[in-house]
C-alpha cells in the first residue's frame, strides 16, 4: 500500500475574490471547478505539475456547510487547511486504518465541471489520531475521471511540501503506517506548509 500527494486544499472565504487575488499574485487565473453539494462548498483549481491546488470556499447557494466546509467558513483568512493523498485502493487504506483502531469514514464524492463533465471519486477520512487536518484524507479517482492536474490552468510547480508538529516522530510513523510517502515531517508548531514556483516568483503558503 502506497499513497502520494494528490492535491493541496487552500481554504478561502470568498471564491471570486480569492481567484482574482491568486491571479494577481501568480499571473495565472484558477479555473472554476464546481460545487460539492454534500459539503456546501465550491472550488477553483490551478495545476502545479503532477498535483494541483484547490481553492475551496463555502458555496453561498449550496445550503449548510459540513465537514471541511464548516472549518473553512470559520477561517480568519486564506490558508492551507489540509491535503489529499492519492490511493489506488481506498478499501486497503480503510482496512489499514481500522486495524490501527482509528476511526474511518468512506464517502463517495462528485462534482460537475463548468463544462458539464461529471467527476467522481471516493474519499477515506481517518480520525481518532490526534493530528487533525495534518493527516490527509485519501482519494481514489473513479476510472475514466481525468485528474484535475491535467485539465486545470498551469500555474507553476510545487517545490516543497512539509508538515510541522511537536510530535513529529509520531506523525511520521502514522504516515508510514497509512502508506503515505513523500511528505516531510519536521518538529515545530503544528502546521502545513508549501512552497510554489509560480510565473511571478516563489510563493510560500
Amino acid at each position: 500500500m502506497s499513497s502520494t500527494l494528490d492535491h493541496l486544499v487552500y481554504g478561502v472565504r470568498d471564491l471570486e475574490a480569492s481567484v482574482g487575488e491568486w491571479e494577481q499574485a501568480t499571473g495565472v487565473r484558477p479555473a472554476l471547478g464546481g460545487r460539492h453539494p454534500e459539503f456546501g462548498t465550491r472550488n477553483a483549481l490551478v495545476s502545479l505539475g503532477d498535483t494541483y491546488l484547490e481553492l475551496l470556499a463555502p458555496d453561498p447557494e449550496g445550503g449548510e456547510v459540513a465537514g471541511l466546509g464548516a472549518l473553512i467558513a470559520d477561517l480568519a483568512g486564506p490558508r492551507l487547511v489540509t491535503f489529499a493523498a492519492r490511493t489506488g485502493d481506498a478499501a486497503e487504506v480503510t482496512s489499514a486504518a481500522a486495524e490501527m483502531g482509528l476511526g474511518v469514514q468512506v464517502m463517495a464524492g462528485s462534482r460537475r465541471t463548468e463544462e458539464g463533465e461529471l467527476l467522481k471519486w471516493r474519499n477515506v477520512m481517518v480520525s481518532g489520531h490526534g493530528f487533525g487536518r495534518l493527516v490527509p484524507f485519501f482519494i481514489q479517482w473513479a476510472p475514466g475521471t481525468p485528474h484535475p492536474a491535467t485539465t486545470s490552468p498551469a500555474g507553476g510547480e510545487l517545490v516543497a511540501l512539509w508538515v510541522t508538529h511537536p510530535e513529529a516522530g509520531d506523525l511520521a510513523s502514522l504516515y508510514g503506517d497509512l502508506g503515505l510517502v513523500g511528505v516531510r515531517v519536521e518538529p515545530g508548531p503544528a502546521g502545513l506548509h508549501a512552497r510554489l514556483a509560480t510565473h511571478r516568483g516563489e510563493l510560500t503558503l
Side-chain angles (χ1 to χ4, degrees):
M1 179 180 66
S2 179
S3 300
T4 58
L5 173 67
D6 186 80
H7 67 273
L8 305 173
V9 181
Y10 190 64
V12 300
R13 293 289 302 274
D14 184 314
L15 189 61
E16 282 77 12
S18 296
V19 164
E21 291 167 358
W22 190 270
E23 181 180 20
Q24 184 175 18
T26 70
V28 174
R29 187 173 184 83
L32 294 178
R35 290 180 158 87
H36 311 103
E38 66 273 27
F39 295 118
T41 57
R42 57 184 183 143
N43 65 8
L45 311 175
V46 60
S47 176
L48 299 173
D50 293 335
T51 183
Y52 67 96
L53 181 81
E54 175 185 25
L55 281 72
L56 187 66
D59 184 357
E61 301 177 5
E64 184 177 357
V65 293
L68 188 55
L71 171 66
I72 291 170
D74 291 334
L75 290 178
R79 69 176 179 89
L80 283 177
V81 292
T82 192
F83 63 105
R86 190 184 318 174
T87 178
D89 193 338
E92 191 173 24
V93 174
T94 300
S95 177
E99 288 179 4
M100 286 185 275
L102 300 176
V104 182
Q105 183 180 19
V106 181
M107 298 182 63
S110 66
R111 68 173 173 85
R112 196 168 290 279
T113 68
E114 294 290 303
E115 294 75 29
E117 183 177 17
L118 182 64
L119 308 184
K120 301 176 69 176
W121 62 85
R122 184 173 297 276
N123 284 338
V124 180
M125 307 347 188
V126 180
S127 60
H129 42 67
F131 293 106
R133 299 289 178 181
L134 295 182
V135 172
F137 62 94
F138 294 80
I139 184 168
Q140 180 179 9
W141 294 94
T145 292
H147 193 268
T150 67
T151 59
S152 302
E157 295 183 355
L158 175 65
V159 176
L161 172 67
W162 70 101
V163 176
T164 54
H165 195 277
E167 300 174 5
D170 291 340
L171 179 56
S173 293
L174 178 60
Y175 283 175
D177 291 341
L178 291 172
L180 177 62
V181 298
V183 179
R184 194 167 81 245
V185 184
E186 299 178 351
L192 176 62
H193 317 270
R195 188 164 68 254
L196 315 179
T198 77
H199 301 298
R200 293 182 176 170
E202 284 201 347
L203 180 64
T204 299
L205 304 177

